Amino acid sequence: MFRVLRHSSRAAKSLVQGQKVLSNKTCLRAFSVSRQMKSDLTVTYDLASGEKYTVKCKEGENLLDVAINNDLDIDGFGACEGTLACSTCHLIFKQEDFDSIDEVATDEELDMLDLAFGLTDTSRLGCQVCMTKALDGLTVKVPEGINDQR
């Protein structure tokens, strides 16, 4: 965030570190927000092997980033690093959780899902689903195999 400060031309010439000159009379100074983001949402990844990982995440994080940020050992998961170029972050949702997802799948996501292993009516790519308070406590099933068509 920036705060715009107006100065006389003399004051604008003697800027302190952390300010950026826009003109001879205007400068920007960065300031921080002291509000800390809380990790108050949880998601459980249910692997085909029977292992379950319940991890914390932040609102707005996508499910691929949640898995990566929590160092989950899911073989081949997220091979394209969230660029929507594969289907390796394919996840299967319960119907009620699937209905709670805010964003509708795009044509590009649906094209990638067509290539996914074990596709279901409640499948989505983890890189395209962002956590919201409505999804708190979510459990997602990770299919037993991947189909990397990159």
Side-chain angles (χ1 to χ4, degrees):
M1 299 186 134
F2 290 93
R3 175 180 290 155
V4 176
L5 303 172
R6 302 248 179 240
H7 295 279
S8 68
S9 59
R10 175 187 287 168
K13 290 179 184 175
S14 60
L15 295 174
V16 295
Q17 186 177 3
Q19 296 179 346
K20 180 178 179 181
V21 174
L22 293 179
S23 70
N24 65 346
K25 294 187 180 184
T26 306
C27 67
L28 288 178
R29 179 171 47 197
F31 66 97
S32 64
V33 178
S34 61
R35 184 173 51 127
Q36 184 179 8
M37 293 188 71
K38 296 181 180 178
S39 297
D40 56 356
L41 303 178
T42 60
V43 60
T44 301
Y45 292 82
D46 183 5
L47 278 56
S49 65
E51 293 177 275
K52 290 186 180 187
Y53 298 105
T54 299
V55 296
K56 296 217 177 272
C57 62
K58 296 177 182 141
E59 188 172 358
E61 275 187 295
N62 70 53
L63 293 173
L64 171 61
D65 288 342
V66 172
I68 291 169
N69 293 341
N70 287 284
D71 296 322
L72 299 186
D73 186 22
I74 304 173
D75 190 40
F77 196 75
C80 76
E81 299 177 350
T83 59
L84 203 53
C86 72
S87 60
T88 59
C89 64
H90 170 220
L91 298 170
I92 301 170
F93 294 80
K94 295 177 190 168
Q95 185 65 52
E96 60 270 14
D97 294 330
F98 184 82
D99 294 338
S100 297
I101 300 171
D102 287 340
E103 291 88 24
V104 177
T106 63
D107 289 340
E108 292 83 5
E109 180 182 359
L110 294 173
D111 288 345
M112 287 294 113
L113 280 170
D114 286 341
L115 305 172
F117 180 86
L119 184 65
T120 70
D121 289 340
T122 58
S123 291
R124 289 291 302 267
L125 296 180
C127 65
Q128 301 300 302
V129 177
C130 293
M131 285 298 294
T132 62
K133 289 182 182 178
L135 294 175
D136 187 25
L138 171 74
T139 297
V140 292
K141 178 111 176 97
V142 179
E144 75 177 278
I146 61 169
N147 189 12
D148 187 1
Q149 293 294 321
R150 287 179 299 142

